[in-house]
Amino acid sequence: MTATVLVINSGSSSIKYQLVDPEGGQALASGLVERIGEAEGHIEHKAGGQVTERYERVSDHGEGLRQVLALFEEVGPDLAEAGIVAVGHRVVMGGSAYDGPVRIDDDVLGVIEELSPLAPLHNPANLTGIQVGRMLLPDVPHVAVFDTAFFRNLPDDAATYALDREVAEKFSVRRYGAHGTSHQYVSAKAAEMLGRDDLKQIVLHLGNGASASAVVGGRAVDTSMGLTPLEGLVMGTRTGDIDAAVVFHLARNGGMSVDEIDNLFNKRSGLKGLTGENDLREVHRLIDAGDENARVGLGVYTHRLRKYIGSYAAVMGGLDVLSFTAGVGENDDVVRAGAVKGLEFLGVEIDLEKNQVRSKEPRVISPDGARVTVMVIPTNEELAIARQAMSLL
Ligand code: AMP
């Protein structure tokens, strides 16, 4: 019998899940519960090529997960027969506490709760998912896999903000990063494919949220997200890097409250703020229709990518591999071409034909013999979480 892991990613009003065979890498089932707590919720369960959908009220996370387990019983696969050996929970903020997966007990729950002020939208939701998960599946170990773990041991030079030490310490202000599970998975995949463990790599995780990392010999040495996922690259709706004094300016002269500025920077900025659309497919459509704001928006997006590639090559003193991943990175050849434009001096080039190939497989898109291997590597955070959970058993 195969051993499987149920991976749970619990958000403030949603639960995403996947039943994964960590060895073979397949998902045996997947689905999501959304609009938890609203008048009508939505549940979608995919298994064996079949999609089951329900529209009904889901009062809370406990009810949501109960419904999911009922669907596993009704339409399969049967969890016991599928050999479930663990539940892996995605947790966004592990702070300075965790640099790898951890088996969940009451102490771990306490730490995740203590870290909630650093990720107020995510950790409480993750915690709820864990609590109901443990209640409903008490006979298997539950493991927390943190988005920040891969960046826990960044060198001090990269992790420390140039801020008054006392204030920084008192309020735990440092660079924690995010998307770590994806950066770790993609950089490990590139190393495996190239058969080398001494590589200097840059990973660009470009989804609706976006982040860059610099990885030397499997260890993260820098990353673009900071105390929160707001810093760094231009994202679907987030500013990325911005002069902190913009906050003072908007508060003093724009009469905006801290919450309003938080909402502006996180939800109404990035591509959305620049072009009116956060989805790059829409941005391209606007550009094709001659929209000048969309053209500039894409320019700001790719300019930031080139800046990070250049600075991370400098941080590492060289570059062997540049990988693109996530929704934009895996699908958007125009963004990939824009990100490397003019970087031939660093040895970064892409082959136009290879770049246009559409595929779900990891692949090289640089020309044969190029100094830097440029790759597209589909990320698989669920599989990475399942494997990390298994590693503790
Ligand atoms: P993710 O957060 O990884 O799910 O990525 C979501 C984002 O990927 C969307 O907002 C789009 O901007 C982008 N995306 C998805 N599919 C495509 C595509 N075929 N071409 C360009 N961008 C895409």
Side-chain angles (χ1 to χ4, degrees), residues 205-209 271 278-281 284 326-328 331-332 358:
H205 174 112
L206 310 179
N208 202 25
L271 286 172
N278 64 291
D279 189 313
L280 265 152
R281 288 166 288 195
H284 290 306
V328 180
N331 293 301
D332 196 322
R358 298 192 68 87

Side-chain angles (χ1 to χ4, degrees), residues 2-22:
T2 44
T4 57
V5 175
L6 181 65
V7 176
I8 294 181
N9 182 356
S10 184
S12 55
S13 64
S14 68
I15 303 170
K16 289 189 201 141
Y17 62 92
Q18 214 176 84
L19 184 67
V20 182
D21 165 7

Side-chain angles (χ1 to χ4, degrees), residues 203-225:
V203 178
L204 299 175
H205 174 112
L206 310 179
N208 202 25
S211 57
S213 68
V215 180
V216 178
R219 179 182 173 209
V221 297
D222 209 344
T223 193
S224 61
M225 283 179 166

Side-chain angles (χ1 to χ4, degrees), residues 3-80:
T4 57
V5 175
L6 181 65
V7 176
I8 294 181
N9 182 356
S10 184
S12 55
S13 64
S14 68
I15 303 170
K16 289 189 201 141
Y17 62 92
Q18 214 176 84
L19 184 67
V20 182
D21 165 7
E23 213 173 285
Q26 309 89 334
L28 281 70
S30 65
L32 88 164
V33 184
E34 51 186 352
R35 302 198 287 275
I36 294 174
E38 290 183 28
E40 187 183 74
H42 173 224
I43 306 175
E44 185 179 286
H45 180 79
K46 293 187 197 166
Q50 205 184 326
V51 183
T52 311
E53 279 194 277
R54 294 214 171 131
Y55 292 88
E56 57 197 60
R57 180 168 156 76
V58 182
S59 56
D60 54 26
H61 284 74
E63 174 61 22
L65 201 56
R66 245 177 243 117
Q67 298 249 19
V68 169
L69 296 179
L71 277 166
F72 271 105
E73 230 164 72
E74 279 167 45
V75 293
D78 183 276
L79 285 177

